[in-house]
Amino acid sequence: MSAIPLKKYRSIANRSLQNVLAYRTSYVIGFLANTVNLLAIYFLWQGIYSGRSEVGGYTWDQMKTYLLVTFLANSVLSWYSETSISGKILDGSVAIDLLKPLDFQSARFSETLGASLLEGGMSAVLLTIFASFLSGITLPHSPLVYALFLLSLLGAILVKFGVVYLAALLCFWSTGSMGIVWTRIAVTNLLSGALVPLAFFPDWLERLALWLPFQSIIHTPTMIFLQQTGTAESLKLIALQAFWGIALWFAGKAMWNWAVRQVTIHGG
């Protein structure tokens, strides 16, 4: 990768951003679907908190903030980014990528970052509008917390890309991607804290979830934003994100190399 100018990967990121803009009708539909999903989740939790001041150690104001941060962290790497990787494998266009002097994994990560610029930005706008109609949103007052939160969001993107990339590579041994995608989404949402905070889990499941990479996607950014961790603990959580991001990156490289050898052996 060192022999390849970095500007080529920047070009891939720019092209990915342009593709999202070019197919804006599809993106707008997805954006509206996410908006409906956010509203549904909000009113579901509003019903759960009806008549209660606290659930699982979270006040209703804290939970409202938790839901908004969860939505933002989940939206920066969307369905578009995930299906674009598996689509290349299933339609055979991955063979063309094998001929290019580019690292396949780095190129896909560049595409993800390009799409995330728009997706994350639009989600932030939606959340700002949504939050303006709510009262009691818990916002940090320290610039350091915001800096740590943004750093944790970058870590969340890296970890989620690693999980998505590994799941997408399974399509080398599958005739479709829907089952793989929905299984990946279900496991990720459950063990990351996207469905419910990990603190709501039984003790044994919470401990297990905290050892797995999925918690780096949602749990870490939300804990930092809600200021439930101090500066030292926040840095430890971000370091854990970096560990999992790097580990998943190398796992993706190993799986890609093995998959390509299998394809070559069978003449694919």
Side-chain angles (χ1 to χ4, degrees), residues 191 198 201 204-215:
L191 297 178
L198 299 186
F201 287 5
W204 67 269
L205 184 56
E206 181 183 5
R207 289 194 297 269
L208 174 63
L210 290 174
W211 277 102
L212 296 175
F214 307 104
Q215 58 88 21

Side-chain angles (χ1 to χ4, degrees), residues 1-237:
M1 179 178 173
S2 59
I4 303 298
L6 193 60
K7 64 181 181 181
K8 290 191 176 182
Y9 291 101
R10 287 201 300 267
S11 176
I12 292 174
N14 290 333
R15 189 178 64 212
S16 176
L17 177 59
Q18 292 168 4
N19 284 340
V20 175
L21 291 172
Y23 296 97
R24 51 185 174 272
T25 301
S26 176
Y27 177 74
V28 168
I29 293 174
F31 183 75
L32 292 175
N34 286 336
T35 303
V36 173
N37 185 52
L38 174 61
L39 289 171
I41 292 175
Y42 173 81
F43 287 117
L44 172 64
W45 279 103
Q46 186 180 53
I48 293 174
Y49 272 88
S50 179
R52 298 183 177 94
S53 60
E54 186 178 295
V55 176
Y58 286 80
T59 66
W60 175 224
D61 287 342
Q62 287 177 315
M63 182 55 68
K64 284 186 284 189
T65 308
Y66 185 97
L67 295 176
L68 296 182
V69 176
T70 296
F71 180 82
L72 177 61
N74 250 340
S75 64
V76 292
L77 198 159
S78 70
W79 179 272
Y80 169 81
S81 301
E82 183 159 5
T83 55
S84 66
I85 302 174
S86 57
K88 280 181 171 290
I89 298 172
L90 293 173
D91 66 14
S93 60
V94 67
I96 299 175
D97 289 281
L98 291 172
L99 303 175
K100 296 179 180 179
L102 292 170
D103 178 69
F104 182 82
Q105 187 177 17
S106 298
R108 303 292 74 77
F109 185 59
S110 298
E111 287 180 344
T112 296
L113 289 179
S116 295
L117 288 175
L118 179 63
E119 294 167 344
M122 291 298 292
S123 295
V125 171
L126 171 63
L127 291 180
T128 300
I129 296 173
F130 189 75
S132 66
F133 292 97
L134 302 178
S135 60
I137 297 296
T138 307
L139 296 176
H141 298 292
S142 170
L144 178 60
V145 174
Y146 285 101
L148 291 171
F149 172 68
L150 291 176
L151 193 58
S152 71
L153 271 185
L154 293 176
I157 293 174
L158 180 60
V159 173
K160 189 172 183 180
F161 172 80
V163 173
V164 165
Y165 185 74
L166 286 170
L169 291 184
L170 291 176
C171 291
F172 274 111
W173 298 274
S174 173
T175 57
S177 64
M178 293 304 295
I180 294 172
V181 170
W182 285 113
T183 300
R184 198 284 303 162
I185 290 175
V187 173
T188 302
N189 284 346
L190 175 64
L191 297 178
S192 68
L195 293 179
V196 295
L198 299 186
F200 285 25
F201 287 5
D203 289 342
W204 67 269
L205 184 56
E206 181 183 5
R207 289 194 297 269
L208 174 63
L210 290 174
W211 277 102
L212 296 175
F214 307 104
Q215 58 88 21
S216 294
I217 301 172
I218 300 297
H219 177 75
T220 294
T222 52
M223 291 301 98
I224 292 175
F225 194 85
L226 288 171
Q227 302 176 79
Q228 294 188 355
T229 57
T231 301
E233 183 64 23
S234 296
L235 290 173
K236 288 180 182 178
L237 289 174

